[in-house]
Amino acid sequence: MDIYKKYGHQLPFLFKVLSVNKPLSIQVHPDKSLAGQLFKTRPEHYPDSNHKPEMAIALTPFTGLAYFRPHDEIINFAKRYQQLGDLIGIDLLAEYESANENDRAECLKKCFVKLLKEPQEIIADKIKSLLEMAANDNGDNDLKIFSEIASEYPGDVGSFAYFFLNHVKLEPGQALFIDVNQPHCYLSGDCVEIMACSDNVIRAGLTPKYKDVDLLCETMTYKPKSIDEIILKPTLKDPFTCLYSPSVDEFAIEKIEIDGNQSKTLEYRFEGLHSASLLIIIECGSARINPTVKLKKSNIYFIPPGLNYVVTEIEGKFLAFRAFIRQ
Ligand SMILES: [Zn+2]
């Protein structure tokens, strides 16, 4: 009932399958307070007053850039690649390196802002030089990934985000939670994605869409995270069900995975939940629900709150994701 009072007849999340073939723009989603201001003052670019935390659960090997790297990694890249060091500038880099932990966030901000505001011809020149280095050094994996990104958006300053943001690689079933005000850019792979209902995206690169570099630079918190901190660990509810529940009010997801050929159970129970839920079927050899409806791969089902459903006659691989309002 509380959930009904809070959200009415609306589900407060968007739930979808996303297939990423090329980098999807360096972006940040504003928090609720900023979203409210932007919606009032610039609705042509920011059409919602809501925030947009999001989570991606990999269906295939999946890569993306997310959150700032630990400071030392960024500094080491700037020292290793002179092109990046030049863009940041020797003085600023020295200030960043010698700063104590409390001041490093402010230094990181200065470095990132300076990079994003360099004249286009200088950026294009440094990218060209790095691409030439990459072509001559097959063993440098960082340069290889940088070149892959840069080749999709020639001359785009966003390619340099690789050196600032963690390069996250997910295996199927691993998840990435992106909180508000945190930079990210999905690079490749398929995932199930969920987000709070909002269309507010502040972009700064790797996109033909509207860029708002000043706003993006002001919005971010510049708090680095390690990859371990970013990958969201699901909890196992039963042998077939994993729960992904990041600390946001709007959503949580259960992954249901059953090998119908191996399991003797051959029956799975969807417990009635406190909220309505959406079920996306990713794989389904054959299965029935309650017991007359045949579940089909690629179909999406609406499950009303409080109702139990039993899946029976499961054959082959069954993989589904159920999204609901987090309790
Ligand atoms: Zn996003």
Side-chain angles (χ1 to χ4, degrees), residues 303-318:
I303 302 180
L307 297 185
N308 298 313
Y309 288 88
V310 180
V311 181
T312 55
E313 299 177 42
I314 303 165
E315 288 173 24
K317 186 174 161 123
F318 180 82

Side-chain angles (χ1 to χ4, degrees), residues 27-29 52 54 178 182 184-186 193 195 200-201:
Q27 55 183 253
V28 165
H29 306 297
K52 189 185 173 187
E54 66 187 37
I178 310 281
Q182 300 302 333
H184 57 286
C185 170
Y186 296 154
E193 192 188 26
M195 64 206 72
N200 287 332
V201 186

